Amino acid sequence: MSEQSEQQQAGDQSQQQSPDRTERHVVIVGAGMAGVQTAVALRERGFTGPVTLIGAEPHQPYDRPPLSKAVLLGKAEDSAFDVDFAALDVDLRLGVEVTGLRAADHEVDTEAGPVPYDVLVVATGAHPLTLPGSEGVPGVHLLRTLDDAARLKPVLERRHGIVVVGAGWIGAEFTTAARQAGCAVTVVEAAGRPLPGALPAEVTAPMAAWYAESGAELRLHARVEHVEEGRVVLTADSDDFGATGEARELPADAVVVGIGARPATGWLEGSGAALDPSGALTADAHLRTSLPDVYAVGDCASFPSARYGERLLVHHWDNALQGPRTVAAGIVGEAPEPYDPVPYFWSEQFGRFVQYAGHHGAADTLLWRGDPAEEAWTVLWLRGETPVALLAVGRPRDLAQGRRLIEHGTAVDPARAADPSVPLKAAVR
């Protein structure tokens, strides 16, 4: 039996065992975007049973994107969701760490004791990867939580010299904020280009110039050997020191690590839940896991995409917003469509608004719309003549039109689609 069939069967069995869908106790673990939106979506669909939302942080649930922007720069105190949990009749339990799951007993273990459930939604998100050997070193920071942003605000206010490890999305956004605050910033990246795990080299190569334009120094092929208080030491083979004369030891009043994230599913060890190699829960097309009465949504769950013919793990805000609607529909007994969105995210960096929609892994053609040396340009990926992904820099209209073409599987004329003066909707076959 296939993985999806087994999970479908588990879901069907749980539905037969619990006929009164509106009164079952739903427990949601994780009070980020995915968890909060699941609670909201349940009430919007008329669910009247008890809902418990458990969050590990003590803060009122908040949105994460502003942490690397307004909150970090002191333009906002926090980014709490505008949700009245009391009015929704949601039992909000904050500052509670979940430690395990006993699926046979339908109980979640927490530091405050076990919590029984009829239906469980896992929305624990992801946790940032740490730099080996940097734990406990003074001045080393991550940027994932509100507390992380609070610790970094005075670093920016004092205009410290900062070394950023990793030229990914978080590294670029933090560097942007740090330069706006007047900090000296050096970014070290082990790969030969920014965003090495996210986009092809030919697309990200032009982005390297953005760092210098902002006044930040970008060091590529630079691998960290170790971090000490006040400095970052690179490996001897980084940057070909003999040829460039660049320093192997970088002074650092502060170090910010942005080298990726991993699904926060360690607490599920021993539960019997099926995980993929990334550590994500393997949800089915309706976001049900391999365990009866357990759903998974957001950064901690991968799902099968018929659109792209592979399992996707999407660590972005829009996925955490859309997935809860599918979960809520399943819990209340509706027949939701398979969850198969066109992934979408955006990033504000170096004075540019960067947007991406789709998944380019299965593409066979890459089209440029515009010159990447200019302020605005777009890259369009095609499979045959059908758009499957798009990256738009300062061209929001391309993104909006391209996303609709991807959603509907609409073929385009490649020659017209490559002409930046032609609206994408006018390039349709």
Side-chain angles (χ1 to χ4, degrees):
M1 185 182 292
S2 71
E3 167 198 325
Q4 189 164 338
S5 297
E6 288 175 351
Q7 296 184 181
Q8 174 77 43
Q9 185 182 65
D12 291 344
Q13 289 173 349
S14 68
Q15 291 170 10
Q16 294 167 6
Q17 294 165 2
S18 304
D20 188 358
R21 294 176 175 277
T22 61
E23 292 305 319
R24 293 178 297 168
H25 181 196
V26 177
V27 173
I28 305 167
V29 179
M33 170 64 80
V36 168
Q37 288 300 317
T38 298
V40 171
L42 281 168
R43 294 306 190 213
E44 287 178 344
R45 281 172 165 74
F47 183 81
T48 57
V51 176
T52 299
L53 179 60
I54 302 174
E57 295 183 55
H59 311 290
Q60 195 71 7
Y62 61 88
D63 205 3
R64 294 191 187 278
L67 297 184
S68 60
K69 306 172 185 71
V71 174
L72 190 61
L73 289 170
K75 298 177 181 178
E77 286 300 315
D78 58 38
S79 54
F81 293 116
D82 185 17
V83 175
D84 188 336
F85 294 99
L88 284 177
D89 192 20
V90 170
D91 178 11
L92 182 60
R93 304 184 188 181
L94 300 177
V96 177
E97 192 76 39
V98 174
T99 58
L101 167 62
R102 288 176 287 113
D105 298 328
H106 275 53
E107 285 189 340
V108 171
D109 289 321
T110 78
E111 296 173 326
V115 178
Y117 67 85
D118 294 310
V119 179
L120 176 67
V121 180
V122 181
T124 44
H127 56 75
L129 297 177
T130 59
L131 193 63
S134 68
E135 295 87 347
V137 176
V140 176
H141 300 265
L142 300 169
L143 181 51
R144 180 76 181 184
T145 69
L146 187 60
D147 288 338
D148 291 338
R151 284 187 286 266
L152 277 165
K153 279 174 63 177
V155 173
L156 269 59
E157 290 167 356
R158 295 167 190 160
R159 299 186 178 181
H160 280 172
I162 302 171
V163 172
V164 177
V165 182
W169 299 112
I170 287 296
E173 291 188 359
F174 174 80
T175 299
T176 299
R179 287 300 301 141
Q180 288 178 6
C183 299
V185 183
T186 299
V187 181
V188 295
E189 168 57 57
R193 64 185 191 277
L195 299 168
L199 296 167
E202 61 188 301
V203 176
T204 59
M207 299 177 178
W210 299 356
Y211 288 80
E213 290 174 9
S214 75
E217 180 184 3
L218 175 62
R219 299 276 296 272
L220 301 174
H221 299 292
R223 289 165 289 280
V224 175
E225 181 180 279
H226 66 273
V227 177
E228 303 173 4
E229 184 174 4
R231 67 174 184 162
V232 174
V233 180
L234 305 179
T235 59
D237 60 343
S238 296
D239 282 320
D240 189 9
F241 294 106
T244 64
E246 291 179 293
R248 181 183 171 191
E249 295 185 4
L250 304 176
D253 297 316
V255 178
V256 177
V257 179
I259 55 175
R262 186 173 177 83
T265 55
W267 64 280
L268 291 168
E269 183 177 355
S271 69
L275 306 178
D276 67 20
S278 74
L281 282 156
T282 54
D284 69 6
H286 296 96
L287 300 182
R288 296 171 297 199
T289 73
S290 61
L291 299 175
D293 300 312
V294 180
Y295 291 77
V297 65
D299 291 5
C300 66
S302 63
F303 57 90
S305 171
R307 186 190 307 276
Y308 292 106
E310 61 182 285
R311 180 167 285 276
L312 299 182
L313 175 61
V314 181
H315 281 186
H316 293 296
W317 184 91
D318 193 62
N319 179 51
L321 177 67
Q322 292 194 57
R325 299 165 189 160
T326 296
V327 171
I331 291 173
V332 302
E334 296 176 8
E337 292 292 320
Y339 185 65
D340 196 6
V342 173
Y344 168 74
F345 70 89
W346 78 96
S347 176
E348 295 177 65
Q349 52 184 269
F350 309 113
R352 294 167 172 85
F353 188 45
V354 182
Q355 296 173 283
Y356 178 94
H359 177 65
H360 63 269
D364 48 46
T365 303
L366 184 154
L367 298 179
W368 288 90
R369 286 172 56 82
D371 185 347
E374 302 295 331
E375 287 295 311
W377 47 274
T378 293
V379 170
L380 183 67
W381 285 270
L382 306 179
R383 185 168 56 212
E385 294 187 340
T386 303
V388 294
L390 176 144
L391 176 78
V393 178
R395 291 180 66 101
R397 185 173 297 177
D398 274 5
L399 189 287
Q401 295 180 10
R403 189 177 184 181
R404 284 194 289 271
L405 297 179
I406 296 167
E407 287 173 344
H408 297 293
T410 305
V412 297
D413 178 342
R416 288 180 60 77
D419 185 343
S421 68
V422 176
L424 277 173
K425 64 181 181 181
V428 171
R429 280 290 191 193

